Amino acid sequence: MAAFLAPAPTRLNANASTSARLPSRSSSLRVVAMAEKRSRSSVAEVAQFQRSPADCGSTEVQIALLSSRVINLTAHLKANKKDYDSQRGLLKVLGQRKRLLGYLRKSDPAKFESMVADLKIRIK
């Protein structure tokens, strides 16, 4: 009985150009431009919730940033109904925002009420 012999694995030529494996320059620049665009708009939306000009991690700022992401993901999902990965991402963002809102509700109820009103967040 003859055993089936698989072909030997091929090796990549060490001298071969790696350009086939690397993303093109234009696509990497596009990604950077999209990240800058998102961060600029997020900074403008969050400015009213900052405690000081250098504040970037307080509960209020985090909730505002997550709310911005919720709006963007919701708009994306309206156009791409079968994007289940984005649906999962939206649910994770909503859960994180819900936990932060719960913390804010316990620690500063007045600030919680004003944030919910300003961001138009529905609370069950």
Side-chain angles (χ1 to χ4, degrees):
M1 180 168 352
F4 176 74
L5 296 176
T10 59
R11 292 187 180 179
L12 291 174
N13 185 355
N15 297 329
S17 172
T18 58
S19 63
R21 289 180 276 163
L22 297 176
S24 68
R25 180 178 165 88
S26 63
S27 66
S28 63
L29 290 176
R30 189 170 358 116
V31 171
V32 171
M34 292 170 112
E36 282 182 5
K37 180 179 174 184
R38 181 174 51 240
S39 65
R40 273 192 236 127
S41 66
S42 297
V43 168
E45 294 170 0
V46 170
Q48 68 180 8
F49 299 108
Q50 289 178 322
R51 295 177 184 172
S52 68
D55 180 18
C56 60
S58 67
T59 307
E60 296 88 355
V61 170
Q62 290 182 50
I63 291 170
L65 286 170
L66 289 172
S67 296
S68 173
R69 286 186 62 196
V70 165
I71 292 167
N72 291 337
L73 283 169
T74 303
H76 171 77
L77 286 170
K78 285 181 182 176
N80 304 286
K81 296 183 187 304
K82 294 189 178 185
D83 189 353
Y84 301 114
D85 293 329
S86 292
Q87 282 182 3
R88 182 174 185 265
L90 176 62
L91 290 174
K92 288 180 73 127
V93 170
L94 286 171
Q96 179 67 34
R97 185 177 76 172
K98 182 178 179 180
R99 288 190 297 274
L100 286 169
L101 283 168
Y103 170 77
L104 189 63
R105 177 184 275 171
K106 284 187 269 183
S107 62
D108 191 356
K111 189 68 175 171
F112 168 79
E113 292 297 330
S114 69
M115 285 214 59
V116 168
D118 290 343
L119 294 173
K120 298 179 180 112
I121 298 174
R122 289 180 290 155
I123 301 295
K124 291 183 179 180

